[in-house]
Amino acid sequence: MSQSVCILGATGSIGESTLKVLQQHPDKYSVFAVTAYSRLEKLVEICKQFHPQVAVVPSTKQDRLAQLFKQHQIDYTEILTDEAGLVAVAEHPQVDIVMAAIVGAAGLLPTLAAVKASKRVLLANKEALVMSGEIMMQAAEQHQALLLPVDSEHNAIFQCLPNGYCQSERTGQPKQGVSRILLTASGGPFLNTSLNDLHDVTPAQACKHPNWSMGQKISVDSATLMNKGLELIEACHLFSISEHFVTVVIHPQSIIHSMVQYVDGSTLAQMGNPDMCTPIAHALAWPQRISTPVDALDLFVHQQLNFQQPDTIKFPALRLARHAMQAGGVAPAILNAANEIAVAAFLQQKIKFTAIPEVVEHTLNDMENAQANSLETILQADQFARNIATQRVDALRLK
Ligand code: NAD
Ligand code: MG
């Protein structure tokens, strides 16, 4: 029986890779719903090729999409709108698998809806888990949703952990012989840029990642290392492990996607060419394996794998994220919200690159932490942090 897939964020980089994998396996998967925030032409192309039953866009774009559908004789796809539309497709009874690939906090409610509807949820949208943390993990347990990591590092860790690891008791301590997680990071485009030169880097330079082709927001996050900070928090929740047992390792070639160390001295690594089709296919088919267009790794080409410590003076984001995780409560949600505001401001050339962690640190210092015991508390902290971060952006604004 073919499985029905809902792709939240179908027009993005992860959405595109997901469709690439699905296209290779029409016997196994069909596309039930796709969602987009912009780029309607791209959405139309996707609808023509994959014939989804539903497309979700912002209500401001509904008329334009209906017009495009008419032009292209698409009469098989219904249009839903806004957050209610996203939630409706994420929890739709006909959907088996939800790819959570919206960028940022906008993905939280639909992702959580998919979890509560007991779907197989493929998690790319790390911000959703960073914000909601244990609320999302508990919902997954309670509703027996299979929450599978698509982020390449977490997918690698999942592959290197013992079977059933994520189902066992959540203590924050490593178990079943695991001693430590090694979370790898490419170091981004500015790994070898001096702190002095870092002030004046442009959005175009920041978005030019050496190994991966990704959306703008995550590209900037990779350049500040905030992406690794968010991933550290993501790993703590997914694998129920205290941040103390997660070491960030800079590995510029992005061939090893992360590692797990065991008490007997073993270190297991997952390797592959840097292409998101691999973790997407893994999460789609797990515990089975399906083919992808990704070439097998040629170790005679990649003869050198290097490792180094991260420089947290040059890249304070990593330190801020670790502190936020240690502090717990709504601190990770504050960190994430302030970062989203700061990254958007940098992309609009309102602030310098090095002001991004500054905005985040200011917002964290300015707000009181609170227990993250409900979604409402988290959303409130998110909104409050956005206001403070926006004020800070205005204060630091380039003339
Ligand atoms: P992207 O910017 O290329 O795509 C984002 C998608 O979300 C698009 O379809 C866009 O229309 C939609 N979207 C944006 N804002 C929205 C809003 N307010 N409401 C509803 N939809 C909205 O981003 P991406 O690179 O595909 O990343 C998506 C997520 O996956 C991010 O959380 C990112 O951190 C994570 N991720 C991406 C990669 C990668 O290689 N691209 C790797 C690991 C994790
Ligand atoms: Mg990653």
Side-chain angles (χ1 to χ4, degrees):
M1 255 273 287
S2 139
Q3 290 193 293
S4 173
V5 184
C6 163
I7 307 175
L8 304 171
T11 50
S13 165
I14 292 288
E16 196 174 324
S17 298
T18 305
L19 290 164
K20 212 154 116 190
V21 177
L22 296 180
Q23 193 184 6
Q24 292 219 321
H25 302 281
D27 52 320
K28 292 194 171 72
Y29 307 102
S30 63
V31 179
F32 176 83
V34 290
T35 86
Y37 191 66
S38 53
R39 300 166 85 185
L40 295 190
E41 288 72 21
K42 187 160 185 192
L43 185 66
V44 167
E45 288 311 310
I46 293 171
C47 291
K48 273 162 79 174
Q49 195 183 347
F50 292 91
H51 294 240
Q53 292 188 32
V54 189
V56 185
V57 291
S59 44
T60 49
K61 301 201 168 117
Q62 183 176 19
D63 291 348
R64 175 77 189 124
L65 184 63
Q67 218 175 30
L68 286 170
F69 275 5
K70 214 166 177 182
Q71 264 173 32
H72 292 267
Q73 291 159 0
I74 299 173
D75 53 10
Y76 37 81
T77 305
E78 181 193 352
I79 304 174
L80 295 181
T81 58
D82 298 334
E83 192 156 75
L86 296 174
V87 169
V89 291
E91 64 186 19
H92 197 285
Q94 267 174 267
V95 167
D96 303 302
I97 303 174
V98 175
M99 165 53 83
I102 289 174
V103 59
L108 173 58
L109 291 186
T111 304
L112 202 53
V115 166
K116 289 183 176 167
S118 314
K119 307 297 185 195
R120 173 186 284 240
V121 180
L122 317 189
L123 186 75
N125 181 202
K126 65 193 83 179
E127 297 91 346
L129 182 58
V130 167
M131 290 174 75
S132 61
E134 290 308 302
I135 290 186
M136 172 101 63
M137 296 312 296
Q138 277 164 17
E141 195 179 328
Q142 190 186 341
H143 298 274
Q144 297 188 334
L146 197 50
L147 188 60
L148 294 167
V150 165
D151 213 344
S152 56
E153 295 77 3
H154 306 75
N155 185 270
I157 294 163
F158 182 78
Q159 293 196 46
C160 296
L161 285 171
N163 279 341
Y165 190 88
C166 296
Q167 277 74 49
S168 53
E169 213 190 339
R170 299 181 60 76
T171 60
Q173 296 294 312
K175 58 201 171 200
Q176 292 178 244
V178 170
S179 57
R180 178 162 292 279
I181 285 175
L182 304 181
L183 184 67
T184 55
S186 69
F190 306 131
L191 177 61
N192 299 314
T193 306
S194 73
L195 182 54
N196 217 9
D197 292 343
L198 213 53
H199 294 294
D200 297 316
V201 299
T202 64
Q205 288 172 314
C207 288
K208 206 166 170 295
H209 196 276
N211 308 331
W212 300 93
S213 145
M214 310 179 286
Q216 279 196 323
K217 193 259 176 184
I218 184 176
S219 296
V220 176
D221 284 347
S222 301
T224 58
L225 289 203
M226 183 57 92
N227 183 50
K228 214 46 57 182
L230 297 173
E231 290 186 356
L232 169 75
I233 299 172
E234 183 186 11
C236 293
H237 292 302
L238 279 172
F239 309 118
S240 179
I241 194 161
S242 139
E243 56 76 32
H244 175 70
F245 299 105
V246 184
T247 303
V248 173
V249 179
I250 303 289
H251 164 47
Q253 293 88 358
S254 301
I255 293 298
I256 293 181
H257 299 304
S258 279
M259 294 169 260
V260 174
Q261 292 191 319
Y262 287 81
V263 290
D264 61 3
S266 299
T267 299
L268 300 196
Q270 187 263 354
M271 301 197 277
N273 287 312
D275 187 319
M276 290 307 292
C277 287
T278 299
I280 290 168
H282 176 268
L284 268 170
W286 183 84
Q288 252 100 61
R289 297 266 179 179
I290 53 172
S291 64
T292 69
V294 184
D295 290 335
L297 187 63
D298 184 346
L299 284 174
F300 300 114
V301 173
H302 302 280
Q303 290 186 345
Q304 280 210 12
L305 301 180
N306 300 97
F307 307 96
Q308 65 191 73
Q309 294 266 10
D311 179 345
T312 51
I313 303 211
K314 215 162 87 180
F315 301 109
L318 201 52
R319 166 177 59 80
L320 296 174
R322 204 178 267 282
H323 283 171
M325 187 63 212
Q326 281 164 354
V330 295
I334 296 173
L335 171 98
N336 176 66
N339 182 57
E340 286 191 31
I341 295 293
V343 170
F346 167 69
L347 285 169
Q348 292 163 20
Q349 296 182 294
K350 288 183 187 165
I351 58 169
K352 282 177 183 275
F353 180 78
T354 41
I356 298 172
E358 193 184 331
V359 169
V360 175
E361 183 155 29
H362 173 87
T363 309
L364 280 164
N365 288 341
D366 211 49
M367 274 178 72
E368 259 185 60
N369 200 358
Q371 286 208 329
N373 39 24
S374 75
L375 197 58
E376 290 67 40
T377 325
I378 290 166
L379 292 175
Q380 252 172 29
D382 171 89
Q383 193 49 56
F384 206 72
R386 280 168 203 271
N387 296 342
I388 293 178
T390 304
Q391 286 166 17
R392 190 62 185 166
V393 162
D394 287 340
L396 294 172
R397 207 176 168 120
L398 297 166
K399 296 293 168 275

